[in-house]
Amino acid sequence: SQKIEQNSEALNIQEGKTATLTCNYTNYSPAYLQWYRQDPGRGPVFLLLIRENEKEKRKERLKVTFDTTLKQSLFHITASQPADSATYLCAPRRGNKLVFGAGTILRVKS
Amino acid sequence: GAVVSQHPSRVICKSGTSVKIECRSLDFQATTMFWYRQFPKQSLMLMATSNEGSKATYEQGVEKDKFLINHASLTLSTLTVTSAHPEDSSFYICSARPDRETEAFFGQGTRLTVV
């Protein structure tokens, strides 16, 4: 069955550093991979989408990579700020459904 | 980005009653909407795919008679939790996307508490 794995433990980093979050998937060949941010008690907010034929995508301080050979996506936040503290979800997709990983909690300390 | 509005944000109901949750795409049309459920400290679990003008497609293990989904128009889908019980208490979230090639946008979520 399809399996999506994200860092199970919370990631604690210092303000100004780069946060790197990992998403691995198995038994799956997604055409797209999406990253979302979720704050407590709120719905996910879309951040970035990367397609299977794209290696890397950037948006302001965010960067996502997609390695279909390793079956892995990395999500980077540069110059992190306390306001970046949240749960980050990866969601690979092929076909109609969007299925989520368990998410990684990021805590940025000032 | 596109806006998806979900209402209500919080609802408390008595055991045995039914609750309806609305999901609207405000600035785009969505032929497909999705309903998720999220338990504390867990990820989103897809419950069903809602298709405009046709029956919803439910994921394995989700009772279609308990979770009624209606996709009445290209901008509105509703989820009705029928004969709610305390174990139905959860965070319900809808999402929609303008077309198959774009990202999905999510509503704010509905916290349902059944007492």
Side-chain angles (χ1 to χ4, degrees):
Chain A
S1 61
Q2 299 165 357
K3 196 173 180 183
I4 304 163
E5 291 182 338
Q6 294 188 249
N7 311 63
S8 56
E9 296 183 8
L11 181 63
N12 296 296
I13 64 167
Q14 203 64 34
E15 182 177 9
K17 300 292 185 183
T18 296
T20 299
L21 286 69
T22 305
C23 175
N24 295 298
Y25 56 91
T26 54
N27 297 326
Y28 205 9
S29 296
Y32 312 90
L33 197 144
Q34 303 178 30
W35 283 87
Y36 290 82
R37 167 185 175 141
Q38 188 177 26
D39 291 285
R42 310 285 293 178
V45 174
F46 170 75
L47 297 175
L48 279 170
L49 177 150
I50 188 166
R51 293 178 168 79
E52 61 182 335
N53 60 351
E54 298 174 318
K55 296 289 185 185
E56 180 180 300
K57 206 153 194 185
R58 293 174 185 261
K59 180 182 176 183
E60 299 173 351
R61 294 185 296 113
L62 310 179
K63 184 179 86 171
V64 63
T65 62
F66 193 8
D67 189 326
T68 55
T69 302
L70 290 178
K71 295 187 179 293
Q72 181 183 79
S73 176
L74 299 178
F75 181 77
H76 307 271
I77 305 174
T78 58
S80 59
Q81 305 165 0
D84 294 327
S85 299
T87 297
Y88 290 85
L89 306 166
C90 82
R93 178 165 81 92
R94 178 170 287 278
N96 212 19
K97 296 181 192 178
L98 192 63
V99 180
F100 285 85
T104 298
I105 297 172
L106 173 66
R107 298 192 191 106
V108 182
K109 299 180 180 179
S110 57
Chain B
V3 179
V4 175
S5 177
Q6 192 172 335
H7 178 80
S9 57
R10 287 179 177 274
V11 59
I12 300 173
C13 71
K14 290 185 177 180
S15 190
T17 62
S18 295
V19 174
K20 180 185 282 188
I21 302 169
E22 288 190 351
C23 179
R24 293 181 185 272
S25 55
L26 297 187
D27 50 3
F28 65 97
Q29 293 184 331
T31 53
T32 305
M33 291 185 176
F34 304 87
W35 287 95
Y36 292 82
R37 181 174 182 175
Q38 187 175 33
F39 291 105
K41 300 189 187 300
Q42 295 187 27
S43 191
L44 286 75
M45 182 191 78
L46 180 64
M47 297 175 66
T49 302
S50 167
N51 301 295
E52 188 266 338
S54 64
K55 291 183 179 180
T57 303
Y58 290 82
E59 293 300 300
Q60 194 172 11
V62 178
E63 298 177 59
K64 61 181 180 181
D65 294 331
K66 177 153 193 70
F67 300 100
L68 300 179
I69 292 172
N70 183 285
H71 196 146
S73 73
L74 288 172
T75 60
L76 173 64
S77 177
T78 61
L79 167 68
T80 301
V81 183
T82 63
S83 187
H85 288 97
E87 57 264 30
D88 297 325
S89 299
S90 191
F91 192 52
Y92 293 87
I93 313 172
C94 72
S95 79
R97 58 173 185 253
D99 62 61
R100 288 182 65 89
E101 302 300 314
T102 61
E103 60 270 24
F105 299 95
F106 285 79
Q108 309 95 312
T110 297
R111 172 73 59 194
L112 170 64
T113 303
V114 184
V115 298

